[in-house]
DNA sequence: TCCGATCTATTTTTT
DNA sequence: ATAGATCGGA
């Protein structure tokens, strides 16, 4: 029966068959981590464990999907389907839809994605008449998110002296109030943000012992992938769920922890020891994926980090190729050289496009690469990036679906009440929002009872708002009568959205219509697939509600052309867990990779280095590193320096640079010459990197108005004002003979004179 | 209220 | 560069 175990090495085998009690698998890159997890699930099932008793948690949808497929391949469809396998967020959302009523949430609560939460935060900041420059929605959102990930609610936040003093010294003492309003508004909208899915699950388990007990009984075997990426909330939830049986198996690799920015806590790996002193540790150190050269290069890089659990990754594979190296003069040339290299290797070795991956640090880098690939007629596919579901037209239509399903979804309501235009303008909406706050009722209550709440709008508006709410109510009725596709189509048409975009008659309008049609097709498929697409024991009827529940947690719109023969383009984060024969890591430049925000502290820099490690270890046969000497960033020409990570590659493993830098390339970049007139202000963006080699810039973090400074291009000047914080710190400087300039201190090199 | 012009943040990574 | 937000005039 378990002949499939023969495919495992001893250590993998031991990890698979050990099923009782807590265990941790520390798995080096390419050591067969996913294999162990999937075989373990298969093994459990073969041992007679009920699939309903197994919970497997991953971080990404992709990983969950893949694991599911592999398990099904091993042990068949029927059993595999009933295992709860999914991302933390999707599994917890499922639990909250069933049991969230204990916390006062209906089962049709809306999930706000980060865009939606940011919109809400922005709105609250506006309502509180706070300066959105000081209280930047992104910053506030991040603060709140970090707090929630650490299970600090708004009240705890306000009562935590450390947090408050940190906010105060950042001159943002009112974040606590924004947090508190934000929480209230989410609740009022019957909505949860991503962090709430974890936070509320924790609260549910903490405060409702019987609910916790139910799930403890259900999930008798818990498996967690990428354990190094768990945050505090996830850690505690797992701990609670596993408290009964302690059949918990966590798999991870501290060297691949790359989500610290989102609250991941490597210490969770260390805490495991304390929680389960009798746990069993398995170490997978043999790499099956990569050549010796790649493994060695990666080991050499990661060894530079101080924070790590010791392990020796080794391989029996051949030495293989040396690490390739490409030096380009510009980002466009980098794209061309990479495309050429792919073309060449493809031809020389008869390789499919799918053998290649191009990895970058930021999504924005894909553009120049794409262009080059297109010119070379090399088919490619971009993973991640701005998701299909984040496009405006899709969000609009989803807004109608959301409001139809959950009338209390205020974000959806505000998004669509006047789109397409219905003559309910900004002023009227504002009045309604104010009224909602005054009476502390939901916006839907207001628009359906405008007279009762004495909202000062004219009779025309009352009529229009009435029509709108009647329409939404009629959509709800459609939902009950028709299947998901029919209902969705009806909404797209009756709302006027489809018509609006059709009439636009521009290329964008056409593409928007196409996107809407694509969404409708996806819904059609979903409806037809019915039970098929849903995991676990909750049989799906293929309703629009169910579709929307899935959609909220989808980010990468994989539309099933996975196995087409294409070069893969993605961020390194998105590449985690994947492997490719040939990997190009591009944009190895200081301030890009490592990212400029990560170079100031050791822990941040080490996370970047782990990211580099992850990138290197994606490759099976060959890695090629590339960097460009100049790059357009923020639409501005920038001179770059090679990344420090390049120097961390063992030289004997590196190919000779293919291209020697052009010696004459020291001419100053064309920084736009200030012209008199209104266009003047844009100059602040032009100086990203000083051209003067010997200019000795000062640390400007303490810059204050009144100081005398010197700028390499503009000469001497006087600081008139400083605003913003950290990376967004700006200064207004009056330069002698040049005039007033706004400088982003992150970029501008200034020497402080007095 | 609507429309076009101008301003502005965005670029770290994901659920 | 570029999309979205904001502003100002019709």
């Amino acid at each position: 029966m378990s002949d499939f175990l023969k495919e495992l090495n001893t250590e993998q085998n031991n990890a698979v068959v050990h099923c009782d009690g807590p265990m941790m698998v520390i798995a080096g890159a390419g050591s067969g981590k996913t294999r162990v997890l999937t075989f373990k699930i298969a093994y459990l099932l073969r041992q007679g464990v009920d699939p309903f008793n197994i919970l497997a948690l991953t971080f990404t949808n992709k990983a969950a999907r893949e694991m599911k497929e592999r398990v099904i391949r091993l042990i068949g469809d029927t059993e595999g389907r009933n295992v709860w396998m999914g991302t933390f967020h999707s599994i917890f959302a499922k639990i909250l839809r069933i049991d969230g009523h204990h916390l006062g949430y209906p089962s049709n609560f809306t999930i706000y994605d980060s865009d939606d939460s940011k919109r809400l935060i922005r709105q609250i900041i506006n309502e509180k008449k706070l300066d959105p420059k000081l209280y930047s929605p992104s910053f506030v959102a991040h603060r709140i998110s970090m707090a929630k990930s650490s299970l600090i609610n708004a009240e705890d936040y306000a009562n935590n002296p450390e947090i408050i003093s940190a906010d105060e010294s950042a001159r943002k003492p009112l974040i606590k109030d924004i947090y508190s309003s934000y929480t209230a508004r989410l609740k009022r909208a019957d909505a949860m943000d991503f962090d709430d899915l974890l936070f509320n699950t924790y609260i549910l388990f903490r405060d409702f012992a019987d609910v916790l007990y139910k799930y403890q009984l259900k999930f008798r075997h818990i498996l967690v992938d990428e354990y190094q990426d768990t945050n505090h909330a996830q850690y505690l939830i797992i701990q609670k769920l596993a408290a009964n049986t302690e059949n918990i198996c966590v798999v991870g690799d501290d060297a691949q922890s790359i989500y610290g920015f989102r609250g991941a806590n490597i210490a969770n790996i260390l805490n495991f020891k304390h929680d389960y002193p009798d746990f069993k540790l398995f170490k997978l150190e043999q790499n099956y994926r990569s050549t010796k050269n790649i493994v060695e290069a990666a080991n050499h890089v990661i060894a530079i980090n101080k924070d790590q659990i010791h392990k020796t990754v080794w391989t029996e594979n051949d030495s293989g190729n040396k690490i390739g190296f490409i030096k380009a003069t510009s980002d466009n040339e980098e794209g061309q050289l990479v495309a050429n290299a792919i073309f060449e290797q493809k031809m020389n070795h008869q390789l499919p496009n799918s053998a290649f991956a191009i990895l970058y640090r930021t999504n924005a880098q894909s553009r120049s690469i794409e262009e080059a690939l297109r010119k070379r007629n090399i088919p490619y596919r971009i993973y991640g990036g701005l998701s299909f579901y984040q496009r405006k037209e899709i969000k609009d239509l989803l807004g109608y679906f959301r409001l139809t399903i959950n009338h209390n979804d205020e974000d959806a309501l505000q998004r669509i009440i006047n789109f397409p235009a219905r003559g309910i303008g900004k002023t009227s909406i504002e009045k309604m929002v104010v009224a909602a706050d005054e009476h502390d009722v939901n916006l839907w209550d207001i628009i359906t009872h405008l007279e009762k709440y004495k909202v000062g709008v004219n009779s025309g508006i009352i009529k229009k708002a009435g029509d709108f709410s009647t329409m939404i109510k009629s959509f709800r009725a459609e939902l009950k009568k028709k299947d998901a596709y029919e209902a969705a189509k009806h909404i797209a048409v009756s709302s006027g959205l489809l018509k609006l975009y059709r009439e636009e008659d521009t290329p964008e309008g056409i593409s928007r219509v196409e996107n809407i049609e694509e969404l409708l097709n996806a819904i059609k498929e979903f409806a037809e697939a019915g039970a098929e697409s849903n995991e676990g024991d909750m049989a799906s009827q293929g309703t629009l509600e169910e579709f929307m529940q899935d959609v909220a947690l989808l980010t990468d719109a994989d539309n099933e052309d996975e196995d087409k023969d294409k070069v893969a383009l993605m961020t390194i984060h998105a590449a985690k867990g994947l492997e490719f024969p040939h990997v190009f890591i591009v944009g190895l430049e200081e301030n890009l990779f490592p990212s400029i925000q990560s170079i100031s502290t050791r822990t941040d820099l080490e996370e970047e280095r782990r990211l580099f490690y992850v990138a290197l270890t994606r490759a099976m046969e060959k890695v090629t590193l590339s960097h460009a000497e100049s790059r357009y960033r923020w639409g501005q020409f920038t001179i770059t320096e090679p990344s420090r990570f390049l120097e961390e590659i063992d030289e004997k493993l590196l190919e000779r640079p293919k291209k020697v830098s052009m010696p004459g390339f020291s001419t100053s970049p064309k920084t736009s010459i200030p012209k008199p007139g209104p266009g003047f202000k844009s100059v602040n963006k032009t100086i990203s990197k000083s051209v003067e080699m010997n200019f000795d810039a000062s640390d400007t973090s303490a810059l204050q108005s009144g100081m005398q400074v010197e700028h390499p291009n503009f000469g001497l000047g006087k600081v008139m004002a400083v605003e913003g914080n950290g990376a967004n710190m700006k200064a207004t400087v009056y330069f002698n003979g040049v005039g007033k300039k706004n400088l982003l201190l992150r970029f501008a090199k200034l020497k402080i004179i007095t």
Side-chain angles (χ1 to χ4, degrees), chain A residues 143-356:
Chain A
R143 279 298 275 176
I144 294 175
S145 172
M146 290 306 252
K148 282 193 190 176
S149 309
S150 312
L151 300 172
I152 296 169
N153 66 22
E155 203 184 316
D156 298 340
Y157 190 100
N159 292 328
N160 185 318
E162 231 172 276
I163 292 176
I164 295 305
S165 79
D167 280 353
E168 275 169 0
S169 60
R171 292 183 302 138
K172 300 177 178 66
L174 298 178
I175 292 182
K176 61 175 167 56
D177 296 336
I178 303 172
Y179 187 5
S180 150
S181 308
Y182 175 66
T183 309
R185 291 286 279 275
L186 277 175
K187 188 72 186 52
R188 194 170 88 189
D190 285 333
M192 299 194 200
D193 66 14
F194 286 146
D195 300 306
D196 285 335
L197 296 175
L198 310 181
F199 188 95
N200 287 331
T201 302
Y202 173 78
I203 301 295
L204 180 68
F205 288 166
R206 187 196 64 187
D207 294 352
F208 296 88
D210 49 331
V211 177
L212 173 62
Y213 188 60
K214 178 172 91 179
Y215 287 102
Q216 283 177 337
L217 281 187
K218 174 165 171 53
F219 300 131
R220 307 191 57 80
H221 294 270
I222 299 172
L223 300 94
V224 184
D225 194 12
E226 311 279 17
Y227 190 64
Q228 76 281 353
D229 288 334
T230 49
N231 64 28
H232 188 61
Q234 288 162 329
Y235 163 76
L236 285 180
I237 294 170
I238 299 165
Q239 192 198 44
K240 281 197 176 297
L241 275 177
N244 207 1
T245 65
E246 295 207 339
N247 286 331
I248 175 169
C249 167
V250 303
V251 180
D253 177 8
D254 60 294
Q256 295 186 61
S257 161
I258 53 175
Y259 284 103
F261 70 92
R262 178 173 108 175
N265 188 358
I266 318 191
N268 289 344
I269 290 189
L270 306 168
N271 285 337
F272 198 81
K273 267 181 230 177
H274 301 132
D275 292 341
Y276 311 100
D278 57 339
F279 83 115
K280 193 104 171 69
L281 177 69
F282 299 86
K283 272 192 186 179
L284 306 181
E285 297 182 315
Q286 181 176 2
N287 175 304
Y288 291 92
R289 178 186 295 152
S290 317
T291 65
K292 273 202 184 68
N293 282 343
I294 293 170
V295 170
E296 262 179 53
N299 282 347
H300 190 261
V301 166
I302 201 66
I304 298 168
N305 276 2
K306 273 194 187 162
D307 294 335
Q308 56 178 313
I309 296 173
H310 181 75
K311 88 180 99 28
T312 319
V313 180
W314 57 280
T315 185
E316 282 178 353
N317 295 342
D318 292 341
S319 293
N321 302 296
K322 289 199 169 181
I323 312 278
F325 183 78
I326 292 176
K327 179 177 194 167
T329 53
S330 68
D331 47 354
N332 286 328
E333 194 192 66
E334 179 183 49
Q336 288 162 25
L337 294 178
V338 168
N340 289 350
I342 289 178
F343 189 78
E344 235 173 72
Q345 290 177 31
K346 236 173 74 168
M347 288 304 149
N348 291 345
H349 306 284
Q350 294 299 308
L351 296 167
N353 295 311
S354 57
F356 299 91

Side-chain angles (χ1 to χ4, degrees), chain A residues 344-516:
Chain A
E344 235 173 72
Q345 290 177 31
K346 236 173 74 168
M347 288 304 149
N348 291 345
H349 306 284
Q350 294 299 308
L351 296 167
N353 295 311
S354 57
F356 299 91
I358 303 172
L359 309 181
Y360 34 78
R361 180 65 178 80
T362 67
N363 281 307
Q365 286 167 259
S366 71
R367 270 233 286 164
S368 54
I369 307 277
E370 280 181 76
E371 212 167 290
L373 291 174
R374 266 200 305 271
K375 272 191 196 143
R376 271 272 184 196
N377 281 324
I378 300 173
Y380 62 88
R381 165 155 186 233
I382 296 194
Y383 291 74
L386 65 144
S387 147
F388 178 75
Y389 293 99
Q390 286 172 335
R391 292 180 195 181
K392 184 177 181 308
E393 62 276 20
I394 298 303
K395 282 225 107 179
D396 289 339
L397 185 50
L398 293 181
Y400 278 94
F401 297 164
R402 278 165 53 180
L403 189 62
T404 302
I405 291 163
N406 172 11
H407 291 347
N408 290 336
D409 185 338
E410 297 190 349
D411 179 76
L413 189 146
Q414 289 187 57
R415 175 179 277 277
I416 61 173
I417 187 165
N418 199 35
F419 193 88
R422 302 193 167 82
I424 307 175
K426 222 171 75 179
T427 333
S428 310
I429 296 174
E430 215 154 82
K431 281 181 191 160
M432 297 176 198
V433 171
V434 169
D437 271 351
E438 252 168 38
H439 300 279
D440 195 28
V441 295
N442 184 278
L443 209 47
W444 178 261
D445 280 333
I446 298 288
I447 70 156
T448 48
H449 304 94
L450 282 172
E451 281 164 313
K452 177 180 149 198
Y453 288 111
K454 302 201 175 63
V455 185
V457 292
N458 63 40
S459 59
I461 298 285
I462 293 176
K463 166 88 170 46
K464 288 168 191 162
D467 289 349
F468 175 75
S469 61
T470 308
M471 177 178 75
I472 297 296
K473 282 183 204 151
S474 81
F475 290 167
R476 163 93 55 101
E478 292 287 323
L479 223 53
K480 299 236 159 65
K481 284 195 297 226
K482 293 177 171 163
D483 78 14
Y485 172 68
E486 291 297 324
K489 200 172 145 191
H490 174 86
I491 293 174
V493 173
S494 309
S495 64
L497 254 194
L498 209 46
K499 186 160 165 266
L500 177 98
Y501 286 126
R502 281 220 172 100
E503 280 169 359
E504 224 170 71
D505 207 29
T506 60
E508 295 88 63
I510 291 167
S511 119
R512 294 197 146 144
V513 171
E514 281 169 3
N515 285 333
I516 289 179

Side-chain angles (χ1 to χ4, degrees), chain A residues 64-76:
Chain A
R65 207 177 311 127
E66 203 175 278
M67 192 189 293
K68 208 177 295 178
E69 278 165 14
R70 288 222 226 167
V71 168
I72 287 174
R73 220 177 299 147
L74 280 175
I75 53 111

